[in-house]
């Protein structure tokens, strides 16, 4: 078993909420609190949320975490 980790990021919008909700519906669990920061290049707020999932796999750098 392996604990997989992903950091989901996007602009602060409903699309970000849908991205996190989709991960939760696929068995990922929230890890820590969300983070918000201003993106000086675009002038918008960006969100980040870490998620984790225990999977029956062996870690490999080429592993596509979103497909777990």
């Amino acid at each position: 078993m392996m604990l997989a980790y992903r950091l989901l990021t996007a602009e602060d919008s409903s699309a970000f909420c849908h991205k996190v909700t989709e991960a939760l519906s696929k068995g990922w669990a929230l890890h820590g609190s969300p983070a918000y920061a201003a993106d000086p290049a675009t002038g918008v707020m960006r969100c980040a949320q870490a998620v984790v999932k225990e999977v029956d796999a062996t870690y490999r750098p080429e592993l596509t975490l979103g497909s777990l």
Side-chain angles (χ1 to χ4, degrees), residues 22-64:
E22 179 183 20
L24 295 174
S25 75
K26 292 180 177 180
W28 293 84
L30 299 177
H31 183 74
S33 299
Y36 302 92
D39 183 344
T42 61
V44 300
M45 292 298 289
R46 296 198 52 84
C47 302
Q49 174 64 60
V51 292
V52 294
K53 182 179 184 181
E54 195 168 294
V55 295
D56 187 18
T58 302
Y59 175 73
R60 301 178 326 275
E62 64 275 3
L63 194 63
T64 305

